[in-house]
Short mmCIF file of all heavy atoms in Angstrom, two decimals:
data_model
loop_
_atom_site.label_atom_id
_atom_site.label_comp_id
_atom_site.label_asym_id
_atom_site.label_seq_id
_atom_site.Cartn_x
_atom_site.Cartn_y
_atom_site.Cartn_z
N LYS A 70 10.51 2.49 -11.53
CA LYS A 70 10.78 1.23 -12.24
C LYS A 70 12.23 1.18 -12.74
O LYS A 70 12.84 0.12 -12.81
CB LYS A 70 9.81 1.08 -13.41
CG LYS A 70 8.34 0.98 -12.99
CD LYS A 70 7.44 0.85 -14.21
CE LYS A 70 5.96 0.74 -13.79
NZ LYS A 70 5.45 2.02 -13.28
N ASN A 71 12.78 2.34 -13.09
CA ASN A 71 14.17 2.41 -13.56
C ASN A 71 15.05 2.97 -12.44
O ASN A 71 15.68 4.02 -12.59
CB ASN A 71 14.25 3.29 -14.81
CG ASN A 71 13.37 2.77 -15.93
OD1 ASN A 71 13.43 1.59 -16.25
ND2 ASN A 71 12.56 3.64 -16.50
N TYR A 72 15.09 2.25 -11.33
CA TYR A 72 15.73 2.79 -10.14
C TYR A 72 17.23 3.02 -10.31
O TYR A 72 17.78 3.90 -9.66
CB TYR A 72 15.46 1.89 -8.92
CG TYR A 72 15.66 0.42 -9.16
CD1 TYR A 72 16.93 -0.15 -9.07
CD2 TYR A 72 14.59 -0.40 -9.47
CE1 TYR A 72 17.11 -1.50 -9.28
CE2 TYR A 72 14.76 -1.75 -9.71
CZ TYR A 72 16.02 -2.30 -9.61
OH TYR A 72 16.21 -3.64 -9.85
N GLU A 73 17.88 2.26 -11.19
CA GLU A 73 19.31 2.50 -11.38
C GLU A 73 19.57 3.92 -11.86
O GLU A 73 20.52 4.58 -11.44
CB GLU A 73 19.91 1.51 -12.40
CG GLU A 73 19.93 0.06 -11.95
CD GLU A 73 18.71 -0.71 -12.43
OE1 GLU A 73 17.66 -0.06 -12.70
OE2 GLU A 73 18.80 -1.95 -12.54
N ALA A 74 18.69 4.39 -12.74
CA ALA A 74 18.86 5.73 -13.30
C ALA A 74 18.19 6.81 -12.46
O ALA A 74 18.60 7.97 -12.48
CB ALA A 74 18.31 5.78 -14.72
N SER A 75 17.16 6.43 -11.71
CA SER A 75 16.32 7.43 -11.04
C SER A 75 16.59 7.60 -9.56
O SER A 75 16.07 8.53 -8.94
CB SER A 75 14.84 7.07 -11.24
OG SER A 75 14.52 6.93 -12.60
N MET A 76 17.37 6.71 -8.95
CA MET A 76 17.57 6.77 -7.50
C MET A 76 18.18 8.11 -7.07
O MET A 76 17.99 8.55 -5.93
CB MET A 76 18.44 5.60 -7.04
CG MET A 76 18.36 5.33 -5.54
SD MET A 76 16.70 4.86 -4.97
CE MET A 76 16.67 3.12 -5.38
N SER A 77 18.89 8.76 -7.99
CA SER A 77 19.51 10.04 -7.64
C SER A 77 18.47 11.10 -7.30
O SER A 77 18.76 12.07 -6.58
CB SER A 77 20.39 10.53 -8.79
OG SER A 77 19.62 10.68 -9.97
N HIS A 78 17.24 10.94 -7.80
CA HIS A 78 16.18 11.92 -7.52
C HIS A 78 15.63 11.77 -6.11
O HIS A 78 14.96 12.66 -5.59
CB HIS A 78 15.04 11.79 -8.53
CG HIS A 78 15.46 12.03 -9.95
ND1 HIS A 78 15.91 13.26 -10.39
CD2 HIS A 78 15.49 11.21 -11.02
CE1 HIS A 78 16.20 13.17 -11.68
NE2 HIS A 78 15.96 11.95 -12.09
N VAL A 79 15.87 10.61 -5.50
CA VAL A 79 15.31 10.34 -4.17
C VAL A 79 15.84 11.33 -3.14
O VAL A 79 15.08 11.85 -2.31
CB VAL A 79 15.61 8.89 -3.75
CG1 VAL A 79 15.22 8.67 -2.29
CG2 VAL A 79 14.87 7.91 -4.65
N ASP A 80 17.13 11.61 -3.18
CA ASP A 80 17.72 12.53 -2.20
C ASP A 80 17.07 13.90 -2.26
O ASP A 80 16.81 14.53 -1.22
CB ASP A 80 19.23 12.65 -2.44
CG ASP A 80 19.99 11.39 -2.06
OD1 ASP A 80 19.41 10.58 -1.32
OD2 ASP A 80 21.13 11.22 -2.51
N LYS A 81 16.78 14.36 -3.46
CA LYS A 81 16.13 15.66 -3.63
C LYS A 81 14.73 15.63 -3.01
O LYS A 81 14.30 16.57 -2.34
CB LYS A 81 16.05 16.00 -5.12
CG LYS A 81 15.40 17.35 -5.40
CD LYS A 81 15.35 17.63 -6.90
CE LYS A 81 14.64 18.96 -7.17
NZ LYS A 81 14.52 19.23 -8.63
N PHE A 82 14.01 14.53 -3.23
CA PHE A 82 12.67 14.37 -2.68
C PHE A 82 12.70 14.39 -1.15
O PHE A 82 11.90 15.05 -0.50
CB PHE A 82 12.09 13.04 -3.19
CG PHE A 82 10.75 12.67 -2.59
CD1 PHE A 82 9.59 13.32 -2.98
CD2 PHE A 82 10.65 11.64 -1.66
CE1 PHE A 82 8.36 12.97 -2.44
CE2 PHE A 82 9.44 11.28 -1.12
CZ PHE A 82 8.28 11.94 -1.52
N VAL A 83 13.68 13.67 -0.58
CA VAL A 83 13.80 13.60 0.88
C VAL A 83 14.12 14.97 1.46
O VAL A 83 13.52 15.40 2.46
CB VAL A 83 14.87 12.57 1.28
CG1 VAL A 83 15.12 12.62 2.78
CG2 VAL A 83 14.44 11.17 0.86
N LYS A 84 15.06 15.67 0.85
CA LYS A 84 15.44 17.00 1.34
C LYS A 84 14.27 17.97 1.27
O LYS A 84 14.08 18.80 2.15
CB LYS A 84 16.63 17.52 0.54
CG LYS A 84 17.94 16.81 0.87
CD LYS A 84 19.08 17.25 -0.04
CE LYS A 84 20.35 16.48 0.27
NZ LYS A 84 21.45 16.79 -0.68
N GLU A 85 13.48 17.86 0.20
CA GLU A 85 12.30 18.72 0.05
C GLU A 85 11.30 18.46 1.17
O GLU A 85 10.74 19.38 1.76
CB GLU A 85 11.66 18.47 -1.32
CG GLU A 85 10.30 19.15 -1.52
CD GLU A 85 10.41 20.66 -1.67
OE1 GLU A 85 11.52 21.17 -1.88
OE2 GLU A 85 9.36 21.33 -1.55
N LEU A 86 11.09 17.19 1.48
CA LEU A 86 10.17 16.84 2.56
C LEU A 86 10.65 17.40 3.90
O LEU A 86 9.87 17.97 4.67
CB LEU A 86 10.02 15.32 2.68
CG LEU A 86 8.99 14.63 1.80
CD1 LEU A 86 9.06 13.12 2.01
CD2 LEU A 86 7.58 15.12 2.11
N LEU A 87 11.93 17.22 4.19
CA LEU A 87 12.46 17.60 5.50
C LEU A 87 12.61 19.11 5.67
O LEU A 87 12.55 19.62 6.80
CB LEU A 87 13.81 16.92 5.72
CG LEU A 87 13.78 15.41 5.90
CD1 LEU A 87 15.19 14.85 5.97
CD2 LEU A 87 13.00 15.01 7.15
N SER A 88 12.79 19.84 4.58
CA SER A 88 13.07 21.27 4.70
C SER A 88 11.94 22.18 4.24
O SER A 88 12.04 23.40 4.34
CB SER A 88 14.32 21.62 3.89
OG SER A 88 14.10 21.38 2.51
N SER A 89 10.86 21.60 3.74
CA SER A 89 9.78 22.41 3.18
C SER A 89 9.07 23.23 4.26
O SER A 89 9.04 22.85 5.44
CB SER A 89 8.76 21.53 2.47
OG SER A 89 8.09 20.73 3.42
N ASP A 90 8.49 24.32 3.85
CA ASP A 90 7.76 25.19 4.77
C ASP A 90 6.57 24.46 5.37
O ASP A 90 6.22 24.68 6.53
CB ASP A 90 7.30 26.45 4.02
CG ASP A 90 6.70 27.49 4.96
OD1 ASP A 90 7.43 27.95 5.86
OD2 ASP A 90 5.50 27.81 4.80
N ALA A 91 5.96 23.58 4.58
CA ALA A 91 4.79 22.84 5.05
C ALA A 91 5.12 21.93 6.23
O ALA A 91 4.25 21.59 7.04
CB ALA A 91 4.19 22.02 3.90
N MET A 92 6.40 21.53 6.34
CA MET A 92 6.80 20.59 7.39
C MET A 92 7.65 21.27 8.47
O MET A 92 8.29 20.58 9.26
CB MET A 92 7.59 19.43 6.76
CG MET A 92 6.87 18.71 5.63
SD MET A 92 5.39 17.85 6.18
CE MET A 92 6.14 16.50 7.07
N LYS A 93 7.64 22.57 8.51
CA LYS A 93 8.55 23.28 9.41
C LYS A 93 8.27 23.02 10.89
O LYS A 93 9.16 23.19 11.74
CB LYS A 93 8.51 24.79 9.13
CG LYS A 93 7.21 25.49 9.47
CD LYS A 93 7.30 26.98 9.15
CE LYS A 93 6.07 27.76 9.61
NZ LYS A 93 4.83 27.28 9.00
N ASP A 94 7.04 22.65 11.22
CA ASP A 94 6.70 22.41 12.62
C ASP A 94 7.02 20.99 13.08
O ASP A 94 6.74 20.63 14.23
CB ASP A 94 5.21 22.70 12.85
CG ASP A 94 4.89 24.18 12.66
OD1 ASP A 94 5.80 25.02 12.89
OD2 ASP A 94 3.75 24.50 12.28
N TYR A 95 7.59 20.18 12.17
CA TYR A 95 7.98 18.81 12.53
C TYR A 95 9.49 18.83 12.82
O TYR A 95 10.31 18.83 11.91
CB TYR A 95 7.61 17.84 11.39
CG TYR A 95 6.11 17.75 11.20
CD1 TYR A 95 5.44 18.69 10.43
CD2 TYR A 95 5.37 16.77 11.84
CE1 TYR A 95 4.06 18.64 10.28
CE2 TYR A 95 3.99 16.70 11.70
CZ TYR A 95 3.33 17.65 10.92
OH TYR A 95 1.97 17.61 10.78
N ASN A 96 9.80 18.86 14.10
CA ASN A 96 11.20 19.08 14.49
C ASN A 96 11.98 17.78 14.70
O ASN A 96 13.16 17.80 15.03
CB ASN A 96 11.27 19.95 15.74
CG ASN A 96 10.60 19.31 16.95
OD1 ASN A 96 9.92 18.29 16.82
ND2 ASN A 96 10.78 19.91 18.12
N ARG A 97 11.32 16.64 14.54
CA ARG A 97 11.99 15.36 14.61
C ARG A 97 11.52 14.48 13.45
O ARG A 97 10.35 14.54 13.05
CB ARG A 97 11.68 14.65 15.94
CG ARG A 97 12.31 15.30 17.16
CD ARG A 97 11.49 15.09 18.41
NE ARG A 97 10.22 15.80 18.32
CZ ARG A 97 9.19 15.61 19.16
NH1 ARG A 97 9.29 14.72 20.13
NH2 ARG A 97 8.08 16.30 19.02
N ALA A 98 12.42 13.68 12.94
CA ALA A 98 12.06 12.82 11.81
C ALA A 98 12.99 11.61 11.77
O ALA A 98 14.14 11.67 12.20
CB ALA A 98 12.16 13.59 10.50
N ARG A 99 12.43 10.51 11.26
CA ARG A 99 13.23 9.32 10.98
C ARG A 99 12.88 8.88 9.56
O ARG A 99 11.71 8.73 9.22
CB ARG A 99 12.92 8.18 11.96
CG ARG A 99 13.39 8.44 13.38
CD ARG A 99 14.91 8.48 13.47
NE ARG A 99 15.38 8.69 14.84
CZ ARG A 99 15.57 9.88 15.40
NH1 ARG A 99 15.32 10.98 14.71
NH2 ARG A 99 16.02 9.99 16.63
#
Side-chain angles (χ1 to χ4, degrees):
K70 297 179 180 72
N71 302 310
Y72 47 84
E73 293 95 336
S75 304
M76 197 62 82
S77 59
H78 299 295
V79 171
D80 289 342
K81 181 180 177 182
F82 174 74
V83 173
K84 288 174 182 174
E85 171 71 14
L86 274 177
L87 291 174
S88 64
S89 68
D90 188 61
M92 305 295 287
K93 68 180 186 300
D94 294 332
Y95 295 83
N96 62 350
R97 290 151 293 168
R99 291 293 182 272

